[in-house]
């Protein structure tokens, strides 16, 4: 073995992967920051009674969920400059593509959560004099968060692994850094080291959602 039995070489490998790790964490965090609020908005629009509003959103969700994320990254990075003349750098194109893609998945998760709330709770809130906004934020949303926690955590875990797709447009994320080092040294150990980073990230995500789930245990289904 070139790295795992050589502490000095392993330390150098970790330093090489560090810059890629920073890019991976940025893609991960930026995608969640943009896609979760957008997913909530899309879910509300998808539930709108007017088909002129709900059908375009349904089509958008179908396209985003029905085509590969890799293709969407290519489309954002190459098609937008061709159509609009506006150039996006690689990182910006990656974040836009990831955010639009994951917003579609989150939208369906949130829609399912909101539709699972009994109609009687809306009626009871109205009787108590709560506005629609108060009903949504104080009655519906806390229950929705509890019910969608597990599927959202699954998507977030998938997102950690999907960040490796950014390398298709040469974004210097973790997997690309590991692949370059692997090619340079003719060793697969950098790829295993990158895999360990992904595993540790997903372990942290799992622990976070488990803690949140325990905190929200007072909402009984």
């Amino acid at each position: 073995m070139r790295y795992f039995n050589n502490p000095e070489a392993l330390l150098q490998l970790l330093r090489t992967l560090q810059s890629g790790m920073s890019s991976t964490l940025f893609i991960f965090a930026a995608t969640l920051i943009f896609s979760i609020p957008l997913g909530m908005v899309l879910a509300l629009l998808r539930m709108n009674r007017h088909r002129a509003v709900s059908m375009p959103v349904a089509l958008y969700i179908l396209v985003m969920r029905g085509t590969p994320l890799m293709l969407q990254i290519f489309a954002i990075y190459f098609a937008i400059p061709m159509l609009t003349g506006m150039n996006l750098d690689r990182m910006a194109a990656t974040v836009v593509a990831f955010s639009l893609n994951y917003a579609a998945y989150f939208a369906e998760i949130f829609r399912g959560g909101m539709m699972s709330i009994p109609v009687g709770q809306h009626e009871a809130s109205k009787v108590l004099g709560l506005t629609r906004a108060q009903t949504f934020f104080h009655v519906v949303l806390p229950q929705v968060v509890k019910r969608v926690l597990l599927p959202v955590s699954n998507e977030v875990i998938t997102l950690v692994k999907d960040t490796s797709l950014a390398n298709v447009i040469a974004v210097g994320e973790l997997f690309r850094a590991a692949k370059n080092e692997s090619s340079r040294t003719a060793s697969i150990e950098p790829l295993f080291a990158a895999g360990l980073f992904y595993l540790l990230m997903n372990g942290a995500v799992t622990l976070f959602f488990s803690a949140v789930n325990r905190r929200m245990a007072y909402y009984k289904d």
Side-chain angles (χ1 to χ4, degrees):
M1 289 191 292
R2 181 184 181 92
Y3 295 100
F4 292 146
N5 61 349
N6 186 335
E8 185 176 346
L10 180 60
L11 182 60
Q12 183 59 43
L13 172 62
L14 295 178
R15 288 172 179 166
T16 301
L17 298 181
Q18 183 178 3
S19 61
M21 186 66 175
S22 300
S23 296
T24 292
L25 289 174
F26 178 80
I27 295 169
F28 173 78
T31 299
L32 291 181
I33 289 171
F34 292 116
S35 64
I36 289 179
L38 179 58
M40 181 61 72
V41 172
L42 290 173
L44 294 172
L45 293 176
R46 179 70 178 85
M47 296 173 65
N48 194 287
R49 295 178 181 179
H50 301 286
R51 293 176 65 84
V53 175
S54 63
M55 290 307 295
V57 175
L59 178 61
Y60 166 82
I61 292 173
L62 175 63
V63 171
M64 289 294 105
R65 297 174 71 200
T67 56
L69 176 55
M70 184 183 299
L71 177 61
Q72 295 166 23
I73 295 172
F74 277 124
I76 296 294
Y77 184 61
F78 293 108
I80 287 183
M82 293 174 58
L83 296 174
T84 67
M86 179 180 65
N87 291 319
L88 292 175
D89 65 35
R90 289 181 173 86
M91 182 59 77
T94 299
V95 171
V96 170
F98 271 73
S99 298
L100 293 177
N101 178 275
Y102 272 84
Y105 285 93
F106 286 136
E108 287 297 88
I109 292 172
F110 296 152
R111 184 169 73 96
M114 285 185 280
M115 291 178 66
S116 70
I117 305 299
V119 177
Q121 296 198 22
H122 294 269
E123 296 172 347
S125 298
K126 188 175 181 180
V127 170
L128 292 172
L130 298 180
T131 65
R132 293 182 65 179
Q134 290 173 325
T135 299
F136 178 76
F137 286 106
H138 297 295
V139 178
V140 175
L141 188 58
Q143 297 179 76
V144 169
V145 171
K146 173 64 170 66
R147 296 185 183 202
V148 304
L149 205 56
L150 181 59
V152 166
S153 69
N154 290 337
E155 288 301 321
V156 175
I157 288 172
T158 301
L159 171 60
V160 171
K161 295 177 289 185
D162 277 353
T163 55
S164 62
L165 293 176
N167 83 93
V168 299
I169 55 172
V171 173
E173 46 73 54
L174 176 61
F175 185 76
R176 182 174 178 82
K179 187 169 62 173
N180 289 343
E181 183 68 11
S182 180
S183 299
R184 187 183 70 81
T185 61
S187 171
I188 63 171
E189 290 175 76
L191 298 177
F192 282 105
L196 181 59
F197 273 116
Y198 289 117
L199 180 61
L200 291 174
M201 287 176 63
N202 273 329
V205 168
T206 301
L207 290 175
F208 171 79
F209 278 99
S210 296
V212 174
N213 189 56
R214 288 194 298 270
R215 290 288 299 272
M216 302 194 70
Y218 55 84
Y219 286 109
K220 302 297 182 181
D221 294 333

